[in-house]
Amino acid sequence: MSENPPPPADVRAWYWLLGSFTLLMVGYFTLPLEWFGDRRPVVSWGVFVGALAGLTGTLVAKIVGVMRGTAQRPVVWLIFLICLTMTIYAATYYVLGARKAEFNGLETRLDALYFTVVTMATVGYGDITPSGQAARLVVVLQIGYNFVFLATAAGTLSRAIRSNVENRIRRQG
């Protein structure tokens, strides 16, 4: 009886990414985000700022690792961190959307995720618009974060993919 060999490291990394993204979405759609908000503003803003600070530190470390050539699985990590960024902003929008004065048209977690993706992709909104000062502050913060950190992460991701392809071509040729 022979066992199948373990999958290559690249395949395991992609399985890890798929599993991590799945858990991230399950957590986003099931965790009790209602605990945050108006009743606990200091905790809510503290968690948001802490999550962004930790995320930013990890993103910068991965980007520097790619630039130095020391990063392990940078493509998978950068994709995951970009997805985590979207989830953090979506959760924040959902919590802010519980106050009707903050957003017009944001009712569900899917609305919040949709608004986050639209904000990442463009500056035009459509059916969901921030109307309160806190919502506008977070939107401006997200747009700035997108320009600085996520654009850098996407550029680094592109560089890492190109480098991986070039290395494979060299090994085969």
Side-chain angles (χ1 to χ4, degrees):
M1 216 164 128
S2 67
E3 290 185 29
N4 292 333
D10 287 347
V11 174
R12 283 194 311 262
W14 288 106
Y15 285 150
W16 178 88
L17 178 63
L18 180 62
S20 297
F21 180 74
T22 301
L23 288 174
L24 195 61
M25 288 296 100
V26 166
Y28 170 71
F29 282 103
T30 60
L31 289 175
L33 296 176
E34 294 78 14
W35 190 83
F36 297 103
D38 285 345
R39 291 178 290 152
R40 297 176 185 89
V42 173
V43 172
S44 300
W45 286 106
V47 168
F48 175 65
V49 169
L52 275 187
L55 178 65
T56 301
T58 306
L59 263 172
V60 168
K62 290 297 173 187
I63 290 166
V64 168
V66 170
M67 298 301 190
R68 290 183 176 163
T70 60
Q72 297 291 319
R73 310 265 182 269
V75 172
V76 172
W77 269 104
L78 288 170
I79 291 171
F80 173 73
L81 291 171
I82 290 169
C83 291
L84 180 58
T85 302
M86 290 187 333
T87 306
I88 290 170
Y89 276 103
T92 303
Y93 292 138
Y94 178 73
V95 170
L96 285 171
R99 289 189 358 218
K100 299 302 176 204
E102 292 296 331
F103 278 98
N104 296 324
L106 197 150
E107 302 291 329
T108 67
R109 292 180 195 225
L110 187 58
D111 289 340
L113 189 58
Y114 160 78
F115 180 75
T116 303
V117 172
V118 168
T119 302
M120 283 184 75
T122 65
V123 181
Y125 297 111
D127 55 342
I128 299 174
T129 55
S131 53
Q133 295 303 302
R136 289 177 177 162
L137 172 68
V138 175
V139 169
V140 168
L141 181 62
Q142 182 190 352
I143 291 169
Y145 200 90
N146 291 347
F147 284 145
V148 176
F149 296 105
L150 295 187
T152 303
T156 304
L157 179 62
S158 174
R159 177 181 174 169
I161 291 170
R162 185 176 56 245
S163 176
N164 286 347
V165 169
E166 288 171 353
N167 288 339
R168 288 180 186 195
I169 289 172
R170 260 188 249 122
R171 280 191 301 241
Q172 290 176 353

